[in-house]
Amino acid sequence: MMINKEKRIYQERIFLDSFDYSELEKTDPILSGGFNVVYRRTCPVEIRLIDSDDVEEIGTTENINFRVMIKGSKSLPDIIRFEITCDNDLFLFYTRDFSVSDFNELKVVQNLVCDYTDFTETFCRIVNNTIQDQLGCFAKFCLRVDGSAKLTFIQVMEYKFLELLSIDFQQTPEEIIRNSISFRYSFMKSKVALMEGRFLEISNLLSIRNPNLLHYLQKNSNCIRNKY
């Protein structure tokens, strides 16, 4: 049962990814200034709160949306922007921009082996590994009351935890958050309209060429919907 459900979710994701949303995304306020999205994934992350005494409270795991944006050329971006959002908490919205000099400071402090030109790929690979190997890797996102936060990726070794990467974030200004929520609402409405239009096109085509298949698909779709 679980395998079938996971397979269904995977198939739905492939279907949704087959649509081109690039035109819709151009109105995203976070992309103003010439940014382009080069990566997006949803990853389980442990959210923790840090009190005034720098003590981490017990956290909860949420599915966090990661997006990576670049400004400038892909081979050598002027700015790399990381974005963190959560569908369950629309006001959880954090970003961090890196220039070459910002990255060089991070590289020295954390002894990173990658260069600025590989930073985007390295981050994406770490997120992918965290998703695929949740027993061997995990991520935590620690929030402070002053609006700052720290994202840390950790690899579980045999006798210790190895910190792979740690990035400081800052909560996005409230006005941008409000604009982003408005955009995401409009974006979802447009996505639904786009899919409904495509579904209607397919239905009309099948009603002419293969009405029996259309009837079967509609019946099977209702069975799946009732089952889940």
Side-chain angles (χ1 to χ4, degrees), residues 75-119:
S75 58
L76 184 60
D78 298 325
I79 299 291
I80 301 174
R81 172 172 293 171
F82 300 103
E83 177 195 83
I84 288 178
T85 58
C86 179
D87 292 340
N88 291 332
D89 182 359
L90 296 180
F91 289 91
L92 193 154
F93 197 130
Y94 290 78
T95 55
R96 174 65 192 273
D97 289 356
F98 277 93
S99 63
V100 175
S101 59
D102 295 327
F103 170 78
N104 288 335
E105 292 179 9
L106 182 72
K107 181 176 181 178
V108 171
V109 172
Q110 299 191 23
N111 296 318
L112 301 179
V113 296
C114 67
D115 295 322
Y116 179 72
T117 53
D118 304 318
F119 189 32

Side-chain angles (χ1 to χ4, degrees), residues 171-190:
Q171 188 174 31
T172 306
E174 186 175 341
E175 181 179 357
I176 296 180
I177 293 178
R178 288 199 302 267
N179 292 338
S180 178
I181 292 175
S182 177
F183 162 77
R184 280 189 274 177
Y185 175 76
S186 301
F187 182 70
M188 289 302 298
K189 287 181 62 178
S190 299

Side-chain angles (χ1 to χ4, degrees), residues 13 39-47 60-68 83-88 92 122-141 151-154 164-165 169:
R13 182 179 299 169
Y39 177 83
R40 59 168 64 81
R41 287 297 299 271
T42 300
C43 175
V45 176
E46 186 176 342
I47 307 296
T60 59
T61 299
E62 295 283 353
N63 287 324
I64 296 300
N65 304 316
F66 289 104
R67 285 203 306 176
V68 181
E83 177 195 83
I84 288 178
T85 58
C86 179
D87 292 340
N88 291 332
L92 193 154
T122 300
F123 179 87
C124 298
R125 185 172 63 250
I126 292 176
V127 174
N128 291 338
N129 290 341
T130 304
I131 296 172
Q132 296 167 5
D133 183 15
Q134 297 184 24
L135 295 178
C137 300
F138 70 94
K140 65 176 182 177
F141 193 49
L151 173 68
T152 305
F153 293 97
I154 298 172
L164 300 176
L165 178 66
F169 280 77

